[in-house]
Amino acid sequence: MNLTLKIWRQSDANDKGKMVDYKVTEISEHMSFLEMMDVLNEQLINKGEEPVAFDHDCREGICGMCSMFINGEAHGPDRGVTTCQLHMRMFKDGDTITIEPFRAKAFPVIKDLVVDRSSFDRIQQAGGYISVNTSGNTQDANATLISKHAADEAMDAATCIGCGACVASCKNASAMLFVGAKVSQYALLPQGQIEAVDRVKNMVAQMDLEGFGNCTNTGACEVECPKGISLENIARMNREYFSANVKE
Amino acid sequence: MSVLDSKVPKGPLKTKWTDYKNHIDLVNPANKRNIDVIVVGTGLAGGSAAATLAELGYNVKTFCYQDSPRRAHSIAAQGGINAAKNYQGDGDSTYRLFYDTVKGGDYRSREANVYRLAEVSGNIIDQCVAQGVPFARDYGGLLDNRSFGGVLVSRTFYAKGQTGQQLLLGAYSAMNRQIARGKITSFNRHEMLDVVKVNGKARGIIARNLVTGEIERHSAHAVVIASGGYGNVYFLSTNAMGSNVTASWKIHKKGAFFANPCYTQIHPTCIPRSGDYQSKLTLMSESLRNDGRIWVPKNMEDVMAIREGKKKPTDLSEDERDYYLERRYPAFGNLVPRDVASRAAKERCDAGYGVNATGEAVYLDFASSIQRYGIEQAKIHNIENASKEKIYELGAAIVKAKYGNLFQMYEKIVDQDPYKTPMMIYPAVHYTMGGVWVDYNLMTTIPGCYAIGEANFSDHGANRLGASALMQGLADGYFVLPYTIGDYLSHDIRTGKIPTDTPEFDAAEKEVTDRIEFFINNKGEHSVDYYHKKLGKIMWDKCGMSRNAEGLKTAIDEISALRKDFWKNVNVPGTTTEYNEQLAKAGRVADFLELGELFAKDALVREESAGGHFREEHQTEDGEAKRLKEFQFVSAWEYKGEPKDAVLHKEELVYENIEVKERSYK
């Protein structure tokens, strides 16, 4: 198929940036979206032009590195996938595709479609861990029984890949789904109880400090999340947060 | 006498590690505060090492090319992690894990290292559970296990099909705790471009900030390389796009020997390639072989009918299918080790039985498992005379719970529903057993420079068993390196901060800068990927699943010629002072072009078949790998300029606790 691409080009954080049109031809429906971008870049390099910068790494939907806002949706029109797993069979010959970076105040653009998501790292550093040394001198792994239900639910929350689609999709650029998922993983497990009060307070405080917006329960994040992280996690975080403040 | 000293401690195998730990030098907590350690790579090995070293009190700097340590490619590991816990009571033990690993590696790994690995494996699970890793559990609340290839017990712990992700996030969380305490400084979107040696010791690195292009000097008392394997030398592999050999190759060029480069794992269950534009291959976890049966049609007419779309795989009756692994290896069946399963798939496809348009695919079929689970569930739920549909529905739900994310991934890529029709799979490059040579302390031949995880060579011999990479990465990082590095650093307590304004740093930085300037100014004809793809094709065709002397010789000439052309004609756009992915990639491909040649040379010298290294000249009558006693050594290559000039050093492998036998899975 032949496509018209409207791509956000921005040389660095200080550049104002603009949309630029490109044409690509003979795109196979079996290609992944990023392979289509590879074709474009190879074309640009051979013409002596600057290729489009975009983040990507594992190309199997797990590392969370790829982003892109495609036709107004984080990770494009398909559900339950990251951009690297999006296939060109979702598009048809003659389509015009708009490609922008994930936009949020807390995700400044580095170049073109590459954004800085280190705010997510800082939120995790504020409390997204269990304070246990890696000495190996912990108790036997089977010493504490954990119900299958709790373990499975914790796992569902833990599958968040930290891509930032939730933030990009939210009209308030809120990171509640991301933070809620991490808080939930620990809240659902006995290992997480000891530091539960401080964890949720510290992580929420850091989230606010980074400039993420508030949650107004519109649920766009859940729809666009490539890993299907549920809104329940936000509710659970709110509960944790209120009870932490009551306990104070 | 070889220049290689493995430093394996004396004494009985069972107590070697404990005795050794009891006698190595320690650094007191106050002195640790004055010692800096650099860790390059933040996957399971690097992340766990960085966290542990920081907890111990060292000042740690970590480097990763991704935007966050959490994105390291360990995250993509799917199936699980081995540990000799014997929770299932099926006869597992430290010795058995040790034995399986050495046998699985075709008797080409170092006994003492493997035993230590098996010994600390149980601890890893304890540690990860304490960190909040949500491993799968059974209804009683205990940890669940599954089986992997090459073993007869269930010792693999897992978190759905995302075990690597969960373990990495565990290590990342431990890192975060230390970053918050100021004990780790994490340099993300940074790439190590050289190691700096002062008086023969590794004392720092030159790194490039991938956002600004700035070249930075970082000093330390020890440098740990944890940058993973070199599977991307094949261009197409299951590695991440950015996975590269650069850190390992730079230390190799500065004196670290590179061991067994020809030992590469071609994983049997990957999604087949579909076209020339393909940028990477996707793995389908080995855990699927617990429940999936591998087959091709028995009759060529059916193969043709399927390729032409006249028949569907589900149209074929049991009699018309060749479950070739079950046929050839009745004892292990679909759970033979990876090298064996891959070669068997290639054998069928080479014979013309491949089931897709390219002729390079076999089926992985879940129908009988869905049926079996369905009947079991019907019984559990007291459903009498369950209909076929009901049984299917109940069975599919169990398969979904076990492998849901993998099935979804497959469906998204191939556009076929694997619950209804068998998956198509074909082998792909996945892991490299070879790597930087290290001694028992995990130190390379450069004093003060360590290599851990996939970056080193020691534990998997010529073939790695499934679910053992995660085990090794975390064992090295959490429980081995933090001890052994203390022995070395105890001599550095009076050294003080290493200055970076020295001639050694000047020289290393100049070398790095010159090369970057060259790439930008060359303005040649071809893109970096043009060369990478060409290299990949040579490697796959001549150094792939099977190799022969003639092909390897041709490969050496072709790679050498390609490298010359690269340095003449490569075209790198942009400038040096900006985010420039092509520039970063040019450096990586330049290193692959050297490694590739050494790889072929190593494969040529190793005139035997062992594990993932299959030399056509050396096979048994029924096509199995034929190992030779005289090759029971590690090939450790010393850099001498061009890859063709590399000098071979041999570390003899001694097996005192295991009988070297023919490796049979029949």
Side-chain angles (χ1 to χ4, degrees):
Chain A
M1 40 184 153
N2 300 326
L3 301 163
T4 305
L5 307 172
K6 291 184 174 297
I7 303 179
W8 181 259
R9 302 301 308 257
Q10 181 176 344
S11 61
D12 56 42
N14 301 320
D15 184 23
K16 200 163 153 248
K18 61 172 190 293
M19 299 299 287
V20 179
D21 289 6
Y22 299 96
K23 295 248 184 257
V24 283
T25 53
E26 286 171 46
I27 297 297
S28 152
E29 58 168 12
H30 299 299
M31 278 184 187
S32 75
F33 196 82
L34 295 185
E35 284 164 352
M36 183 275 295
M37 293 295 290
D38 292 341
V39 169
L40 169 70
N41 276 346
E42 197 69 6
Q43 199 175 297
L44 292 175
I45 294 166
N46 289 334
K47 276 201 290 186
E49 290 176 37
E50 180 98 343
V52 179
F54 60 90
D55 266 329
H56 64 113
D57 202 26
C58 78
R59 293 207 180 185
E60 49 188 275
I62 191 74
C63 76
M65 189 101 171
C66 67
S67 49
M68 294 197 200
F69 213 60
I70 301 161
N71 284 348
E73 285 185 87
H75 299 299
D78 204 358
R79 291 286 166 264
V81 294
T82 54
T83 297
C84 66
Q85 295 172 295
L86 177 66
H87 273 69
M88 294 313 291
R89 65 178 81 95
M90 296 297 292
F91 301 91
K92 54 182 194 304
D93 188 36
D95 273 0
T96 297
I97 307 174
T98 314
I99 309 168
E100 294 169 87
F102 278 4
R103 296 196 190 273
K105 187 178 149 206
F107 288 170
V109 171
I110 290 174
K111 185 177 179 178
D112 299 338
L113 306 171
V114 178
V115 298
D116 179 356
R117 287 168 289 190
S118 54
S119 45
F120 269 13
D121 285 324
R122 290 187 293 274
I123 294 173
Q124 301 274 43
Q125 287 153 21
Y129 49 79
I130 288 172
S131 297
V132 50
N133 273 358
T134 58
S135 59
N137 299 326
T138 53
Q139 61 181 4
D140 185 84
N142 257 347
T144 307
L145 298 179
I146 300 176
S147 83
K148 180 169 165 55
H149 182 70
D152 285 350
E153 228 182 329
M155 177 64 198
D156 287 343
T159 51
C160 165
I161 56 173
C163 64
C166 47
V167 174
S169 307
C170 177
K171 61 179 177 164
N172 308 320
S174 167
M176 292 280 272
L177 194 66
F178 168 76
V179 183
K182 202 69 203 170
V183 167
S184 286
Q185 178 195 342
Y186 294 129
L188 286 159
L189 296 171
Q191 303 94 303
Q193 300 311 315
I194 295 157
E195 296 165 284
V197 168
D198 288 341
R199 175 178 306 115
V200 68
K201 288 206 298 197
N202 292 339
M203 289 180 79
V204 169
Q206 187 65 36
M207 173 179 84
D208 292 344
L209 197 67
E210 296 290 348
F212 290 103
N214 290 318
C215 173
T216 46
N217 286 315
T218 52
C221 54
E222 185 187 53
V223 176
E224 298 294 348
C225 174
K227 296 294 147 184
I229 304 289
S230 125
L231 280 180
E232 276 174 39
N233 293 294
I234 295 183
R236 191 178 293 107
M237 175 168 72
N238 285 334
R239 194 159 65 235
E240 289 283 313
Y241 188 74
F242 293 138
S243 81
N245 283 297
V246 169
K247 278 178 192 161
E248 198 166 56
Chain B
M1 164 90 191
S2 167
V3 291
L4 295 167
D5 179 2
S6 68
K7 304 221 172 97
V8 171
K10 297 264 174 289
L13 187 68
K14 280 191 173 160
T15 55
K16 262 187 214 292
W17 176 233
T18 313
D19 289 347
Y20 183 67
K21 275 197 295 181
N22 286 340
H23 294 98
I24 51 180
D25 288 333
L26 299 176
V27 182
N28 95 36
N31 286 330
K32 286 195 185 109
R33 287 197 286 272
N34 301 321
I35 292 181
D36 307 323
V37 182
I38 283 172
V39 180
V40 180
T42 57
L44 285 183
S48 60
T52 310
L53 291 169
E55 277 167 18
L56 288 171
Y58 299 109
N59 308 309
V60 178
K61 283 182 178 181
T62 60
F63 294 81
C64 66
Y65 70 80
Q66 300 91 342
D67 71 337
S68 165
R70 67 177 291 156
R71 312 228 192 266
H73 200 54
S74 304
I75 203 154
Q78 297 168 349
I81 176 164
N82 289 329
K85 280 285 200 186
N86 194 27
Y87 281 164
Q88 304 305 321
D90 53 3
D92 201 8
S93 64
T94 300
Y95 182 83
R96 211 175 269 278
L97 174 52
F98 156 74
Y99 176 85
D100 287 344
T101 308
V102 172
K103 178 187 171 193
D106 220 350
Y107 306 92
R108 290 291 174 268
S109 49
R110 196 189 280 150
E111 235 186 16
N113 287 52
V114 179
Y115 195 85
R116 174 174 66 188
L117 175 66
E119 208 177 332
V120 303
S121 65
N123 250 268
I124 298 172
I125 305 303
D126 300 342
Q127 183 63 46
C128 293
V129 167
Q131 282 168 353
V133 171
F135 282 122
R137 290 179 182 263
D138 60 24
Y139 285 99
L142 295 170
L143 290 157
D144 195 19
N145 292 108
R146 50 167 70 139
S147 292
F148 261 59
V151 302
L152 297 169
V153 294
S154 274
R155 64 160 72 100
T156 306
F157 294 79
Y158 66 100
K160 283 201 179 160
Q162 294 111 300
T163 316
Q165 178 196 28
Q166 295 309 314
L167 296 176
L168 182 64
L169 293 182
Y172 165 71
S173 74
M175 270 183 77
N176 279 332
R177 179 168 162 243
Q178 299 305 320
I179 294 172
R181 285 179 62 215
K183 291 304 290 182
I184 296 180
T185 313
S186 132
F187 294 85
N188 308 336
R189 294 196 193 268
H190 274 66
E191 182 163 41
M192 164 185 161
L193 291 179
D194 212 348
V195 63
V196 182
K197 277 166 70 177
V198 180
N199 296 328
K201 293 177 177 172
R203 290 302 199 190
I205 65 167
I206 304 294
R208 180 165 179 270
N209 179 328
L210 294 172
V211 174
T212 63
E214 215 173 315
I215 304 295
E216 300 170 1
R217 301 177 180 196
H218 296 275
S219 69
H221 298 85
V223 174
V224 180
I225 302 300
S227 55
Y230 47 86
N232 271 350
V233 70
Y234 287 86
F235 184 72
L236 282 181
S237 79
T238 66
N239 285 190
M241 299 302 286
S243 301
N244 65 80
V245 76
T246 291
S248 300
W249 198 250
K250 295 303 181 196
I251 63 168
H252 172 58
K253 290 175 92 164
K254 289 281 163 81
F257 292 1
F258 206 96
N260 303 332
C262 78
Y263 290 162
T264 312
Q265 179 157 82
I266 316 260
H267 196 292
T269 52
C270 300
I271 299 177
R273 56 186 82 186
S274 65
D276 292 337
Y277 48 79
Q278 194 135 4
S279 60
K280 80 152 271 162
L281 297 168
T282 303
L283 177 81
M284 287 284 107
S285 167
E286 176 160 321
S287 60
L288 292 172
R289 288 200 271 144
N290 271 282
D291 286 311
R293 298 175 70 195
I294 297 177
W295 63 276
V296 291
K298 253 185 208 159
N299 308 315
M300 195 53 86
E301 304 84 73
D302 289 332
V303 173
M304 289 307 155
I306 286 174
R307 283 194 201 169
E308 287 159 15
K310 287 181 194 151
K311 264 191 182 178
K312 284 187 289 190
T314 42
D315 295 338
L316 266 59
S317 70
E318 284 294 303
D319 297 345
E320 294 168 324
R321 303 173 176 199
D322 176 14
Y323 294 96
Y324 58 86
L325 287 176
E326 297 171 23
R327 170 171 58 81
R328 286 179 65 180
Y329 307 99
F332 283 72
N334 291 295
L335 281 173
V336 291
R338 292 173 176 178
D339 54 338
V340 177
S342 290
R343 272 198 295 279
K346 180 176 169 10
E347 189 275 327
R348 282 294 79 194
C349 291
D350 286 354
Y353 291 89
V355 293
N356 68 353
T358 63
E360 293 195 332
V362 299
Y363 288 126
L364 177 62
D365 196 335
F366 295 87
S368 29
S369 289
I370 291 175
Q371 177 76 11
R372 178 164 47 86
Y373 286 126
I375 292 170
E376 196 179 287
Q377 286 300 308
K379 196 160 233 161
I380 291 170
H381 293 103
N382 279 325
I383 305 169
E384 275 175 47
N385 304 323
S387 66
K388 228 173 128 189
E389 290 72 30
K390 187 70 190 168
I391 287 176
Y392 171 82
E393 182 197 317
L394 291 167
I398 298 292
V399 168
K400 187 175 183 192
K402 286 181 139 180
Y403 314 109
N405 71 316
L406 301 171
F407 276 51
Q408 185 230 20
M409 203 194 280
Y410 181 87
E411 189 177 350
K412 290 290 176 193
I413 294 174
V414 185
D415 206 19
Q416 284 183 1
D417 180 1
Y419 294 100
K420 301 232 160 77
T421 183
M423 284 184 180
M424 283 185 290
I425 51 156
Y426 197 68
V429 175
H430 176 57
Y431 185 91
T432 51
M433 283 74 68
V436 181
W437 187 90
V438 290
D439 63 17
Y440 189 71
N441 295 317
L442 305 180
M443 194 172 4
T444 68
T445 43
I446 301 175
C449 182
Y450 292 77
I452 58 176
E454 190 180 349
N456 76 24
F457 87 103
S458 67
D459 295 356
H460 306 298
N463 172 58
R464 179 174 65 74
L465 290 181
S468 283
L470 303 185
M471 171 172 71
Q472 187 223 338
L474 289 181
D476 286 0
Y478 281 143
F479 304 128
V480 179
L481 178 85
Y483 288 102
T484 59
I485 204 171
D487 194 45
Y488 173 81
L489 291 173
S490 65
H491 303 288
D492 259 330
I493 53 176
R494 288 192 193 82
T495 310
K497 191 113 192 119
I498 312 284
T500 56
D501 55 347
T502 58
E504 290 88 350
F505 273 91
D506 291 345
E509 183 177 319
K510 185 170 182 310
E511 221 178 290
V512 166
T513 319
D514 287 352
R515 187 154 126 146
I516 288 174
E517 296 285 340
F518 167 83
F519 285 137
I520 289 293
N521 295 326
N522 195 47
K523 299 289 170 241
E525 259 180 85
H526 302 298
S527 69
V528 176
D529 267 0
Y530 166 89
Y531 290 100
H532 196 182
K533 283 182 182 171
K534 284 202 166 234
L535 172 65
K537 181 151 174 45
I538 301 171
M539 294 301 295
W540 181 249
D541 289 346
K542 305 196 170 79
C543 310
M545 268 188 282
S546 70
R547 303 147 183 189
N548 60 53
E550 198 192 338
L552 291 167
K553 282 179 196 151
T554 322
I556 290 174
D557 293 341
E558 287 177 357
I559 297 169
S560 165
L562 186 66
R563 191 169 62 243
K564 276 196 196 86
D565 189 53
F566 171 86
W567 283 102
K568 227 160 77 201
N569 285 321
V570 71
N571 175 21
V572 180
T575 65
T576 58
T577 54
E578 63 177 334
Y579 180 94
N580 188 340
E581 197 188 357
Q582 289 296 315
L583 177 58
K585 192 155 187 213
R588 295 170 194 164
V589 171
D591 294 332
F592 279 135
L593 282 163
E594 292 180 14
L595 164 82
E597 188 178 333
L598 184 69
F599 185 128
K601 180 174 166 149
D602 184 50
L604 183 62
V605 169
R606 187 161 288 278
E607 293 219 39
E608 66 159 351
S609 294
H613 170 65
F614 190 76
R615 281 285 297 267
E616 287 159 11
E617 303 94 322
H618 302 281
Q619 52 182 310
T620 61
E621 272 171 18
D622 42 1
E624 302 294 336
K626 198 165 157 193
R627 236 182 318 105
L628 296 172
K629 178 86 181 84
E630 55 269 38
F631 283 93
Q632 193 167 300
F633 61 79
V634 175
S635 301
W637 296 94
E638 182 182 4
Y639 183 79
K640 290 281 184 192
E642 291 285 304
K644 67 174 166 45
D645 303 323
V647 173
L648 176 64
H649 298 274
K650 295 177 184 175
E651 179 197 341
E652 297 298 332
L653 292 167
V654 185
Y655 294 98
E656 292 167 337
N657 300 281
I658 217 166
E659 188 197 344
V660 180
K661 288 196 289 209
E662 193 189 336
R663 180 168 164 252
S664 168
Y665 293 95
K666 285 186 190 282

